[in-house]
Amino acid sequence: MNDKTAPINSLSSLIPHPSSLPDSSLIPHPSSFPHSSFIPRPLSFLDSHAHLDLEDFDPDRPAVIARARQSGVAAVICPGISAGSSGAAVQLAEAEPGVYAAVGIQPNYCAQAAPGDWERVAALVEHPRVVAIGETGLDRHWDYTSFAVQQDFFDRHLRLAQARNLPVIIHCREAEADVIAMLREAARRGRLSGVLHAFSGDRTFAGECLALGLCISFAGAVTYTNKKFGPLRDAARAIPEDRLLIETDSPYLVPHPLRGRHQRNEPALLVLTAQCLAELRGVGLEQLAAQTTANARRVFSLR
Ligand SMILES: [Zn+2]
């Protein structure tokens, strides 16, 4: 990503130095990880979804990005949640090597969209650092935007992505059947590519998304040990290796064991989710890093 990124030769160097993070005592010691013995080649991760433009990162954004690089996160996709956020994501991608933007209006924010906001988002697609459309999708958990308006915006995003031959970043919360219906309709219209981000469904829903040619991205929820996340962990085991992505969804979804202790997630903590996924799938961390990074580079057409 950047010439100054030091090679990563051991897992211990993947963990941000404790003194560089807010709750320094809470970062697990590298020796407590199963694969800490010897990693022969440098590891490189790609965080496929982090909201680095949000105000949560205003106090220390450069330090957050530096910690990501120190932790082996060589690239980050920053998706917009509104017209303003999409513009900020593009500016960040212009300024920071290894940061790429997606542009869109997140379903919970569609009700707040002012006249002209959609056109502003659509105009940003021209920018060379824009690699995807999103995030978009459907959400029945929150009620900030009426469902009909969410469906209207999801349809616009899907059509824009297909018209520009760009991948789409899809948010789905408690709306699996509705999302699949619209994705199938889009797939009948033409080529569809993209990713179900922060996947929260089960093996059946994952299979329906895979059948449409989409990838599945896992965030911190896959590390949660509560029984209700069992179906999610089961889905994580079943995804074909060439369709698997990882993300932090920063500043949300702090992974276990920092959940409830850290207020804010950040890309440097991606390794905790990667470690959990590697264990669930019975592969080494090195293989998981290489495969998920290659998949993301393919989906987002990154060099
Ligand atoms: Zn998001």
Side-chain angles (χ1 to χ4, degrees), residues 12 17 20 22 47 79 81-82 89 117 125-126 136 140 144 168 173 182 191 199 201 214 229 261 270 285 295 299-300:
S12 61
H17 190 276
S20 68
D47 186 348
I81 59 171
S82 65
D117 275 6
V125 173
E126 306 289 343
T136 180
R140 286 194 183 274
Y144 295 116
V168 60
R173 189 149 184 207
M182 288 187 64
R191 186 176 176 276
F199 191 76
L214 300 168
F229 294 103
R261 301 174 188 171
L270 184 65
L285 186 60
N295 294 344
V299 172
F300 297 112

Side-chain angles (χ1 to χ4, degrees), residues 16-163:
H17 190 276
S19 65
S20 68
L21 280 159
D23 299 332
S24 60
S25 59
L26 299 172
I27 302 296
H29 190 275
S31 65
S32 67
F33 284 82
H35 296 288
S36 62
S37 48
F38 178 62
I39 293 170
R41 287 204 304 271
L43 289 188
S44 177
F45 295 97
L46 190 151
D47 186 348
S48 73
H49 198 108
H51 296 284
L52 292 177
D53 63 293
L54 294 192
E55 64 183 14
D56 306 66
F57 295 108
D58 284 352
D60 60 345
R61 190 171 287 105
V64 167
I65 293 171
R67 278 198 292 273
R69 290 174 179 146
Q70 287 157 16
S71 307
V73 178
V76 177
I77 311 292
C78 180
I81 59 171
S82 65
S85 159
S86 295
V90 169
Q91 280 185 358
L92 197 58
E94 275 177 350
E96 293 287 348
V99 176
Y100 300 88
V103 294
I105 304 178
Q106 204 264 8
N108 296 315
Y109 292 81
C110 292
Q112 297 172 27
D117 275 6
W118 172 252
E119 289 72 20
R120 284 169 65 199
V121 167
L124 287 169
V125 173
E126 306 289 343
H127 195 283
R129 301 289 286 181
V130 171
V131 298
I133 301 298
E135 64 179 283
T136 180
L138 299 173
D139 190 322
R140 286 194 183 274
H141 182 79
W142 301 108
D143 193 23
Y144 295 116
T145 302
S146 77
F147 204 69
V149 171
Q150 292 186 39
Q151 288 174 310
D152 171 35
F153 274 86
F154 188 24
D155 185 61
R156 296 187 204 189
H157 285 81
L158 290 169
R159 289 175 188 274
L160 179 62
Q162 289 182 303

